[in-house]
Amino acid sequence: MNIDFSAKKGFICDMDGVLYHGNRLLPGALEFIRWLQENNKQYLFLTNNSSLTPRELHQKLERLGAHVPEEHFYTSALATARFLKQQAPGCSAFVIGEAGLLNALYDAGITMNDVNPEYVVVGEGRNYSLESLTKAVNLVCGGAKLIGANSDVSGNIEHGIAPACRALIAPIEMATGKQAYFCGKPNPLMMRTGLRLLGCHTEDAVIIGDRMDTDIVCGTESGIDTVLVLSGVSDMDTVNTYAYQPTAILEGVGRIPECASAN
């Protein structure tokens, strides 16, 4: 099925594997960003990576040659903080994660607590260690609820993949017998927030990503047209293993301006 990109008002776009791999910008990414801005599209870069703040993501793209203001980024860390603020305002948490997750939780009024927190929250992070893992396991055994920033098993880096949140939280689940609740994609709460931030209805939006199990299923279940790009972790063999299919499949986001001009 073809998508009339020129008629779409809102674009929700993943980042890792779509715009860049690690610190390497992917072909066509700059052209796609310029097309969004020059055509006055509403756009949001929606990432499951919880380690970076919107300011850091803005600065990262600046270093790679693309100017995208901070308000165009929304992360699984922000989605996690929003969820906890709604569920238990003023709660406390033991957190394994980076600045993106910690800052989002602080800004939502959630305090850090390694003695008797209501929640254990896990995201990607370099402070993941046997010590922090053991602390998390015992806090969950003591009654803390287990939250994951996202359910990605792996993420793209420049020369391969790295374990992501789902892989990092799995030992805690196995040791405690407790299942984590994940706040990032494909949780529909994150998608609904994205649409609200864009001010778009589902029929006016499109979601672009490189993962069938997060980006594409999220869009499919939300009634949004989906574009799978083959610049990340998925190829055509991957697509064929799923019962649901993307609305369109492209080599990369650089093809979107071309497709729009052809309509």
Side-chain angles (χ1 to χ4, degrees), residues 18-51:
V18 179
L19 299 180
Y20 52 67
H21 282 168
N23 292 307
R24 177 173 62 88
L25 201 67
L26 287 168
L30 276 179
E31 291 78 6
F32 171 62
I33 293 170
R34 289 196 197 102
W35 178 82
L36 290 173
Q37 295 170 340
E38 289 171 359
N39 288 275
N40 298 314
K41 300 295 186 181
Q42 298 299 315
Y43 65 96
L44 190 67
F45 293 127
L46 198 73
T47 176
N48 258 358
N49 190 322
S50 66
S51 61

Side-chain angles (χ1 to χ4, degrees), residues 126-150:
R126 289 166 292 181
N127 65 343
Y128 185 91
S129 65
L130 180 59
E131 181 181 358
S132 62
L133 189 64
T134 302
K135 170 68 76 172
V137 164
N138 284 286
L139 289 172
V140 171
C141 286
K145 300 175 182 67
L146 185 58
I147 299 291
N150 65 75

Side-chain angles (χ1 to χ4, degrees), residues 90-185:
C91 66
S92 65
F94 174 72
V95 183
I96 300 175
E98 294 287 320
L101 184 56
L102 292 165
N103 285 4
L105 293 171
Y106 275 125
D107 289 345
I110 296 157
T111 56
M112 303 301 108
N113 179 353
D114 64 357
V115 178
N116 58 348
E118 289 94 337
Y119 295 93
V120 167
V121 181
V122 179
E124 295 83 6
R126 289 166 292 181
N127 65 343
Y128 185 91
S129 65
L130 180 59
E131 181 181 358
S132 62
L133 189 64
T134 302
K135 170 68 76 172
V137 164
N138 284 286
L139 289 172
V140 171
C141 286
K145 300 175 182 67
L146 185 58
I147 299 291
N150 65 75
S151 59
D152 287 358
V153 175
S154 63
N156 295 291
I157 56 176
E158 286 182 75
H159 303 293
I161 62 172
C165 183
R166 186 69 183 86
L168 299 176
I169 207 170
I172 303 173
E173 292 182 314
M174 294 177 69
T176 62
K178 305 291 185 182
Q179 295 297 305
Y181 180 79
F182 296 98
C183 298
K185 296 177 293 185

Side-chain angles (χ1 to χ4, degrees), residues 14-22 24 26-27 154-158 160-161 208-213 215 227-236 238-239 249-253:
D14 188 26
M15 299 185 70
D16 295 303
V18 179
L19 299 180
Y20 52 67
H21 282 168
R24 177 173 62 88
L26 287 168
S154 63
N156 295 291
I157 56 176
E158 286 182 75
I161 62 172
I208 305 157
D210 69 319
R211 302 188 70 107
M212 290 291 292
D213 57 349
D215 307 300
V227 178
L228 179 74
V229 292
L230 304 180
S231 53
V233 300
S234 299
D235 56 24
M236 290 306 298
T238 309
V239 176
I249 301 174
L250 299 174
E251 296 89 347
V253 289

